[in-house]
Amino acid sequence: MELTYLTYEVRGDVAILGLNRPQKRNAISDAFVEELAMLVRRAESEAKAGVIHGHGPHFCAGLDLAEHVKKTPFEGVHGSRRWHEVFGWMQKGKLPWFAALHGAVVGGGLELASSVHVRVADSTAFFALPEGQRGIFVGGGASVRSARLMGLARMTDMMLTGRSVDVDTAERWNLVQYVVPEGEALEKAIALAAHAATNAEISNYAIINALPRIQDMSTDDGLFVESFIASFTATSPEAEERLNAFLTKKVGKVANPNA
Ligand code: 1HE
């Protein structure tokens, strides 16, 4: 099938999705979201991990404002709910997703980046939520996901003042986990995704589906649910094999970063 808004390739066990509307700074229209939806599902059947990145000078300028300005309020609600659904397939789906960020990661672009599991950004990346200045509100999940990453005070500041933050600030704020030199984010994200793809599938599924849910629970409920997931994953044949591989010294130890 011919793609209009994204590129797609599978390298080893890793599906690589590229936002590919650089002339509009990868602004996300309704048709763009539908293509993304189709590719997320395709990646789930063809890969064990996924990477999302942007072609052109920026990762993503967010919502397509030219399309949005023509919508009725109710069409806007449906559009927002569709973003929630599709981004939710990434956050709580079958694959661990990694984002490679550069240039503008703004508005809906930051919401998309907040929906994946690990964010790698190069030194050109900058982050903003200009919705307040545009007379709108976040609608792609930022009030839930981005706010949980950076915290309420920082997100409120960003939205009220239009503050744009550089990559080092974004790392301090927990918006990104890895900072790399210019042009190196994609390869780093692919390498991390390829590594995650070697984990037991059941562990990856538990990590991406249980952790965010447990974050939303009380301490008592979270610990209770954790014990069942721990026990369930440990009884899988794959866990037995992997545990024995360690005990019989067939696999390496945990790396010591100070060595
Ligand atoms: C767009 C969009 C867009 C660029 N929708 N067309 N997002 C924003 O408020 C961010 C708006 N964009 C920008 O601030 C800048 O474009 C950038 C900082 C991202 C990049 O600047 P630059 O100089 O590289 O590009 P440019 O010249 O501003 O833009 C190139 C073209 O892309 C231009 O169109 P042209 O026909 O004049 O060539 C821009 O109009 C177009 N363009 N961004 C539509 N976003 C589910 S709720 C989510 C809510 C939001 O995401 S609100 C935040 C929206």
Side-chain angles (χ1 to χ4, degrees), residues 21-28 57-58 60-68 76 79-80 83-84 87 103-111 126 128-134 136-141:
R21 200 190 177 199
Q23 70 284 5
K24 294 292 176 191
R25 304 310 184 243
N26 297 330
I28 301 175
H58 303 284
C60 178
L63 178 69
D64 183 331
L65 297 172
E67 183 178 80
H68 190 70
S80 168
W83 282 45
H84 293 160
F87 291 7
V105 184
V106 305
L110 179 52
E111 296 182 299
F126 59 97
L129 290 169
E131 283 83 348
Q133 285 67 53
R134 306 277 179 259
I136 57 177
F137 189 64
V138 291

Side-chain angles (χ1 to χ4, degrees), residues 204-247:
N204 279 350
Y205 190 78
I207 291 162
I208 65 181
N209 283 280
L211 283 183
R213 287 182 171 87
I214 291 174
Q215 289 286 298
D216 290 340
M217 293 177 192
S218 68
T219 298
D220 202 34
D221 290 346
L223 293 175
F224 183 77
V225 169
E226 181 190 87
S227 69
F228 275 80
I229 296 170
S231 171
F232 176 74
T233 53
T235 54
S236 74
E238 198 173 350
E240 193 181 345
E241 198 180 299
R242 284 168 180 256
L243 294 170
N244 281 324
F246 173 75
L247 294 171

